[in-house]
Amino acid sequence: GGIAFGPRPRKYNTDMPRTAYRVAIQSALSSKQAAGEVVVLSGFQLPEPKTRYVAKKLAELELPGTILLVVGSDDQALGRAARNISGLTVMDASSLNVYDILRHDTLLVLESEVSKIQELWS
């Protein structure tokens, strides 16, 4: 025997409209820019894809707090080298989200990714 009209599982999550999501990301990026928390790197070349080289470059920049590093999908070696550093999150430009932008103190963007961010989220 079963239970007549028993509980049925239901999903309570809702999807956010794309236009509202785009506006939220634009707002988060502009607030970071206005606060001076966006750093654009022009030449982030590593001799080898090693964590120590990435840590050395970040120490030279002297960025405070947690860092969100935005790399391209073609920079997989840089992403692998940087993912083991504490306080640093590596993310592709296409997977940026409002939570991660606002959660980190500094947004570190490679110069090649600035145009991709503008193209995706404008």
Side-chain angles (χ1 to χ4, degrees), residues 13-25 27 97-99:
N13 52 350
T14 58
D15 292 333
M16 188 171 187
R18 279 188 210 156
T19 54
Y21 191 74
R22 183 175 288 134
V23 168
I25 287 191
S27 175
N97 58 59
V98 177
Y99 176 74

Side-chain angles (χ1 to χ4, degrees), residues 21-43:
Y21 191 74
R22 183 175 288 134
V23 168
I25 287 191
Q26 288 173 355
S27 175
L29 289 172
S30 65
S31 69
K32 283 286 184 188
Q33 179 67 30
E37 297 173 349
V38 177
V39 177
V40 179
L41 292 176
S42 60

Side-chain angles (χ1 to χ4, degrees), residues 32 45 64-65 69 71 85:
K32 283 286 184 188
Q45 298 297 329
L69 176 62
V71 297
I85 300 173

